[in-house]
Amino acid sequence: MAMLERRGSGGSDLLMLDETLGRMSIGRDADNNIVVDGDATVSRVHANLERIGPAWCVTALRTTNGTFVNGEQIFGAHKLSDQDEIRVGKTVLILRDDTCRGGVTTVPIRKAPRRTRSEQRVLNELCRPVLLGKAFTPPASRAAIAKRLYVGVGAIQQHLIHLYDKFEIFPDAEQSRRVLLANEAIQSGAVTMKDLTDPPDDD
């Protein structure tokens, strides 16, 4: 049986995880499946936890204080292993599940490849809906990126093709490729919230 060990200002306890619930919300509100009360730094709905195949996955939502796994802030979905520590606000949730033990070492996040200035602008616009939108917001479409950058859809497609190659993303489905590219860009640090604070600049 999978469990979460909750450690906060009020001490620690164990929460049983019901895998039949599917996606479970984590947050301060009493309506959440996993309630983290007594911690004002936790958002009303802070993150989601779900079982996907043989593994658990935590998904960070847009919150004031962010979601961290083993000390590293995550954006979007992140696969978990037994003993991984999820921090929401000042509260730590430790996954206890012998069926999803990880390896001895953690694989480092791949460094982002070199990008041209134009490719970076396309990446920023691709990821803008994900980082600034609500939970489960998909990345921007080619048409949306083209409209925001005042260029043709064909030019955006060419930049995306180059970025797919650089980030080594090769699925067949166009939408899946955009989602994977956005995830890789965010997780590797190629696109950050700071990149999205200002409108796109002119060439």
Side-chain angles (χ1 to χ4, degrees), residues 4 6-7 13 15-17 24-39 42-47 88 91 93:
L4 279 181
R6 177 174 52 184
R7 295 179 180 176
D13 58 0
L15 307 173
M16 307 300 291
L17 296 177
M24 292 173 278
S25 59
I26 302 171
R28 196 175 68 243
D29 266 9
D31 290 336
N32 287 290
N33 304 105
I34 301 169
V35 178
V36 183
D37 51 7
D39 185 349
V42 175
S43 295
R44 295 177 58 205
V45 182
H46 201 106
V88 292
T91 300
L93 304 169

Side-chain angles (χ1 to χ4, degrees), residues 1-5 14-17 19 51 53-56 79-84 94-103:
M1 176 67 72
M3 296 180 290
L4 279 181
E5 180 181 350
L14 290 175
L15 307 173
M16 307 300 291
L17 296 177
E19 300 179 22
R51 183 84 179 198
W56 288 96
K79 180 183 175 183
L80 297 172
S81 296
D82 182 46
Q83 309 295 323
D84 276 351
I94 304 173
L95 178 66
R96 307 289 189 190
D97 188 349
D98 292 341
T99 67
C100 59
R101 287 183 173 171

Side-chain angles (χ1 to χ4, degrees), residues 40-43 46 62-68 73 87-90:
T41 62
V42 175
S43 295
H46 201 106
R62 187 184 176 193
T63 59
T64 300
N65 294 310
T67 301
F68 296 77
Q73 186 170 9
R87 178 163 63 81
V88 292
K90 296 179 180 179

